[in-house]
Amino acid sequence: MRKRYTTADLSVLTPDEARRFVSEGDGDPQADIALAWELLYRLDPQLYDRLVRAERLHPAVLRSLPDDVERIVEVGAGTGRLTLELIHRAGEVVAVEPAAPMRQLLKRKLSRVDRQHHVRVTPGFFDHVPVADDFADLVVACSALTPARGHGGDPGLAEMERVCRPGGRVVIVWPNNVDWLTAHGYRYASFPGEMFVEFASSEEAAELTEIFYPSAVAEVRRLGQRRVPYELLGINPPRDIAFKVMAE
């Protein structure tokens, strides 16, 4: 990932995207891994989607989410890792995703499964969610929100809370900085059990590990298996949430 893109690729970003994602670093995706991921979303969304399909959320994470509400807003929907699990949990789901190629891929997926048109896919950012105050019963982000301002930060967290109705719930799935969230009044829960990244084949496991987790690729190749423990890749499994119930 650190060698995949160069400053020449920054032209793919819109002015709004560049203002958020480039201004926090030195503008070099080979030195700024967060910026490299943003370029991946726009230049190689299918590659990203292959990784996401292998990173299955813990079943208890999904069970912890409300399943019969009026409205859900998902921020940073990506290619639908969580969105596809939300379709039948609400009368209306708004999936907010800044990267146009990711939105297009998500829309294609939804066209096959969302026959009742429960989901509306729309551009937006963590600090600009295009829905009204108190709009949703559940506002959720999965593996997208970080303390960095360009990827949410305090303004993004406040914006998620703005669009959540009193008594509703804001949920961060697979949070990357629990201390930051608990300092903002969020409760934390983690669910037990062994978890694996479920690649389609051992060949795909080696290919994607070489791109995204190169320090583990030799061992993944040695094992020759399609199921790879998260611990081997050096990342936490998607088994946890941070959540806040908004005051009524």
Side-chain angles (χ1 to χ4, degrees), residues 18-63:
R19 177 168 56 83
R20 287 173 170 86
F21 306 138
V22 178
S23 61
E24 290 196 342
D26 60 7
D28 181 0
Q30 297 194 2
D32 183 347
I33 191 62
L35 180 56
W37 279 92
E38 292 297 336
L39 295 176
L40 172 76
Y41 302 151
R42 290 155 180 84
L43 294 172
D44 294 305
Q46 294 281 0
L47 177 62
Y48 170 77
D49 191 55
R50 290 171 63 199
L51 178 66
V52 165
R53 287 200 302 268
E55 296 175 338
R56 300 176 185 176
L57 300 175
H58 194 295
V61 166
L62 299 175
R63 290 196 297 269

Side-chain angles (χ1 to χ4, degrees), residues 140-180:
V140 61
C142 178
S143 187
L145 180 75
T146 81
R149 188 180 181 92
H151 297 89
D154 288 356
L157 200 58
E159 182 75 344
M160 291 181 70
E161 294 179 7
R162 175 189 69 80
V163 305
C164 189
R165 69 165 180 80
R169 192 181 307 181
V170 178
V171 180
I172 312 302
V173 176
W174 206 3
N176 82 332
N177 191 310
V178 174
D179 290 343
W180 170 61

Side-chain angles (χ1 to χ4, degrees), residues 69-146:
V69 294
E70 183 177 356
R71 292 171 175 162
I72 296 174
V73 170
E74 182 187 7
V75 190
T79 60
R81 182 207 320 256
L82 181 58
T83 318
L84 299 179
E85 301 286 349
L86 299 175
I87 292 173
H88 303 299
R89 294 172 182 261
E92 179 182 3
V93 178
V94 179
V96 180
E97 169 54 45
M102 303 266 268
R103 292 197 303 272
Q104 293 164 5
L105 186 49
L106 176 55
K107 288 178 180 179
R108 288 200 296 270
K109 289 184 180 183
L110 291 170
S111 69
R112 298 191 292 267
V113 298
D114 185 21
R115 302 301 183 187
Q116 302 302 316
H117 302 289
H118 290 294
V119 184
R120 171 167 59 93
V121 180
T122 184
F125 298 89
F126 273 108
D127 62 357
H128 181 69
V129 179
V131 298
D133 294 357
D134 304 336
F135 178 84
D137 305 277
L138 170 66
V139 183
V140 61
C142 178
S143 187
L145 180 75
T146 81

